[in-house]
Amino acid sequence: MSNHVDHTGSRRVLDHEGFPGRWEILETADETGGERFKTRMELEEQGELPPHLHPTAEESYEIIAGELEVQVDGDWSTVEAGETVVIPPDTEHAFKNTGPAEVINIHQPAMEFEEFFRGFHRLKTERGVAMPPDGLKAAILLAMLVVEYEDEQRVVSPPHWSFKLLARLGHLLGFRLPE
């Protein structure tokens, strides 16, 4: 499933209106021949992404300013400005920030990470889905998105099967993701 995405103007900025912050798309899959998807994240408020993995993609965080707490295979470490952490494919990881941070985030290969992040942005801004989700409908919509892009990203905790179950329930109830 590949969608044409307009990469012009403000379409390169995904302002999540809270955590996980404001993301500027620096390089798209189209621009890199599918090699990578690169963003600059401005994390202002405290938050964390749950443990997840990318089955076939490598992810890296290069800290430009501030610091990021990063968990790789259960071990937490502080990554400071000027440092980079690289997470191999199929490796559980998470991150949290306790203060403002600026981070270059790269997924290699690009796969459909841009589409996933744009979908997450639409859930936050058009449907008000918080992170973590607050309520059953929000949890179902997030699960539907995660399952749609399970080749790119899988949440580890709660387990992926629970996302599949919630996504199925969402389809049965007639829920639709924003387009």
Side-chain angles (χ1 to χ4, degrees):
M1 155 191 188
S2 183
N3 302 321
H4 174 73
V5 178
D6 174 13
H7 304 291
T8 61
S10 64
R11 295 272 301 143
R12 291 191 85 96
V13 174
L14 303 177
D15 189 343
H16 292 94
E17 299 172 3
F19 190 78
R22 180 183 178 277
W23 295 5
E24 177 185 4
I25 298 171
L26 301 177
E27 295 179 332
T28 67
D30 290 344
E31 294 166 347
T32 65
E35 185 179 323
R36 71 187 157 275
F37 175 65
K38 181 178 181 179
T39 64
R40 183 176 63 84
M41 303 186 305
E42 294 175 359
L43 306 173
E44 292 298 328
E45 63 179 69
Q46 181 175 334
E48 85 182 76
L49 286 180
H52 63 283
L53 58 83
H54 309 291
T56 59
E58 173 185 281
E59 182 173 19
S60 65
Y61 303 111
E62 176 188 355
I63 312 307
I64 304 302
E67 63 183 32
L68 202 61
E69 299 291 323
V70 179
Q71 178 256 91
V72 179
D73 270 342
D75 295 325
W76 285 94
S77 62
T78 301
V79 185
E80 299 177 344
E83 298 178 329
T84 300
V85 63
V86 178
I87 298 105
D90 206 30
T91 301
E92 180 182 325
H93 61 287
F95 78 76
K96 60 185 171 182
N97 66 301
T98 56
E102 183 178 340
V103 180
I104 300 296
N105 179 232
I106 301 173
H107 292 85
Q108 295 183 136
M111 302 175 69
E112 292 190 14
F113 282 101
E114 180 177 357
E115 291 83 357
F116 171 77
F117 290 125
R118 286 186 182 281
F120 180 69
H121 180 254
R122 285 190 297 273
L123 281 181
K124 290 255 325 187
T125 59
E126 294 175 20
R127 303 278 177 91
V129 173
M131 192 59 184
D134 55 355
L136 183 59
K137 184 172 184 178
I140 288 172
L141 288 168
L142 184 59
M144 290 173 69
L145 180 70
V146 167
V147 169
E148 184 172 331
Y149 292 99
E150 65 186 0
D151 290 342
E152 283 71 25
Q153 178 163 296
R154 294 190 186 172
V155 177
V156 174
S157 180
H160 188 66
W161 63 262
S162 66
F163 284 82
K164 287 187 149 198
L165 185 65
L166 283 174
R168 180 72 181 129
L169 177 60
H171 290 295
L172 290 173
L173 293 173
F175 289 5
R176 291 215 170 334
L177 294 170
E179 304 235 355

